[in-house]
Amino acid sequence: MSQSNTKRILLKISGEQLAGDFEGGIDPKTGLWLAQQLKLVFEHNIEIVIVVGGGNFARGSRLAGHGIKRVTADHIGMLGTMMNALALTDIFENNNLPTRCLSSIFAEQVAEPFIHRLANKHLEKGRIVIIAGGIGRPFLTTDTAAVSLALELNCQVVLKATKVNGIFDKDPEKYPEAVKINKMTFAQAVEDRNIKVMDKAALGLAMEYKLPIIVLDAMKDRSLYKTIVTESIEGTIVS
Ligand code: UDP
């Protein structure tokens, strides 16, 4: 929790979601929709940290090989997250949401550096903080970065945005009979091999520090508002 007792949340949004209707890259319409959804939350004095993925540009695990080292591939992946973070920052500001982009990789020409105190200062001043570059180290994904950064910034919850509204017993896009699970324990989420909605490393870290995770469809109208402001949780809570 931040010092003023204000609610502080972290939203993890994947690159795939930012691509919207496109196969890759950024669909500005998706960014605009997200800004409108977040405005409903922001107006209630909720402090918002956003960690963006980069899968719409590159993922280290897929890019590595044929001469590209894994470390380099992860660097490229982190640069992908930077492109998303910069685009979202502009879209948010253009929609009257005060926003700062902080980068975990050195990129002073394009973003402020991620510094713990600076991030806190922006949040306390009522600015949304978008973090680019995950936590700036290879062999990690932005899911794990999201949990690590939520712990570092005292966020009360991590909202992991997915295309479907929560965790299902099987892939709902393949199996229409899939059943949504409203609540589950960390142990269940970590152990169940069918649950691929979030990296196991991220779940393990959240479990160790008892940081709840809510998996939801952030693009569904008012889903973020209901979950964060009225606390009627859409999606699945892992705690
Ligand atoms: N990445 C990394 N360290 C981090 C965060 C991300 O090396 O702290 C790299 C990694 O290669 C990852 C890529 O950046 O695959 C893009 O992030 P991610 O795959 O999590 O994006 P998403 O699937 O959420 O769009």
Side-chain angles (χ1 to χ4, degrees):
M1 209 170 332
S2 67
Q3 281 162 357
S4 56
N5 245 10
T6 314
K7 207 188 226 183
R8 187 179 282 185
I9 61 106
L10 185 144
L11 172 67
K12 156 69 211 292
I13 187 113
S14 71
E16 195 186 19
Q17 278 181 311
L18 292 177
D21 291 336
F22 302 146
E23 274 186 22
I26 305 161
D27 181 352
K29 285 199 301 298
T30 313
L32 173 61
W33 176 254
L34 185 63
Q36 288 161 348
Q37 294 302 310
L38 278 173
K39 199 172 262 183
L40 302 172
V41 175
F42 185 78
E43 281 162 355
H44 287 82
N45 296 325
I46 310 274
E47 294 176 353
I48 303 168
V49 182
I50 299 186
V51 169
V52 277
N56 51 333
F57 290 112
R59 280 206 185 91
S61 54
R62 261 195 239 153
L63 199 61
H66 303 284
I68 303 177
K69 286 183 227 145
R70 176 61 194 259
V71 172
T72 311
D74 282 335
H75 288 160
I76 295 168
M78 287 187 253
L79 291 171
T81 72
M82 172 66 88
M83 290 191 262
N84 288 328
L86 291 173
L88 269 192
T89 304
D90 268 17
I91 294 171
F92 283 13
E93 290 238 291
N94 193 42
N95 285 278
N96 301 319
L97 287 169
T99 307
R100 295 291 183 274
C101 179
L102 267 52
S103 173
S104 295
I105 48 176
F106 302 117
E108 275 80 355
Q109 272 163 316
V110 293
E112 293 176 51
F114 177 85
I115 296 170
H116 176 75
R117 279 173 183 271
L118 180 60
N120 268 323
K121 195 176 98 187
H122 284 317
L123 290 163
E124 282 159 11
K125 285 196 166 178
R127 296 167 185 149
I128 294 177
V129 167
I130 301 185
I131 301 173
I135 52 170
R137 310 302 332 159
F139 297 97
L140 289 170
T141 66
T142 49
D143 276 2
T144 315
V147 174
S148 168
L149 285 159
L151 291 168
E152 177 171 349
L153 294 172
N154 271 324
C155 298
Q156 287 121 29
V157 65
V158 171
L159 295 129
K160 154 90 187 186
T162 54
K163 278 200 284 185
V164 290
N165 205 18
I167 301 178
F168 289 71
D169 62 346
K170 43 186 157 222
D171 185 352
E173 293 199 323
K174 280 194 210 145
Y175 305 95
E177 73 279 14
V179 179
K180 190 179 136 195
I181 303 161
N182 290 326
K183 268 184 181 184
M184 73 186 331
T185 64
F186 282 119
Q188 285 169 318
V190 171
E191 280 157 26
D192 190 334
R193 281 162 180 257
N194 293 321
I195 292 171
K196 297 186 182 127
V197 77
M198 194 161 196
D199 287 3
K200 300 292 181 194
L203 286 168
L205 186 60
M207 175 159 76
E208 191 171 345
Y209 292 97
K210 299 187 173 60
L211 174 67
I213 294 175
I214 298 173
V215 177
L216 83 175
D217 178 2
M219 297 299 177
K220 191 174 156 220
D221 194 23
R222 300 177 89 78
S223 189
L224 286 172
Y225 171 80
K226 284 189 208 155
T227 303
I228 303 165
V229 180
T230 68
E231 297 192 8
S232 55
I233 295 174
E234 295 262 313
T236 302
I237 180 157
V238 186
S239 61

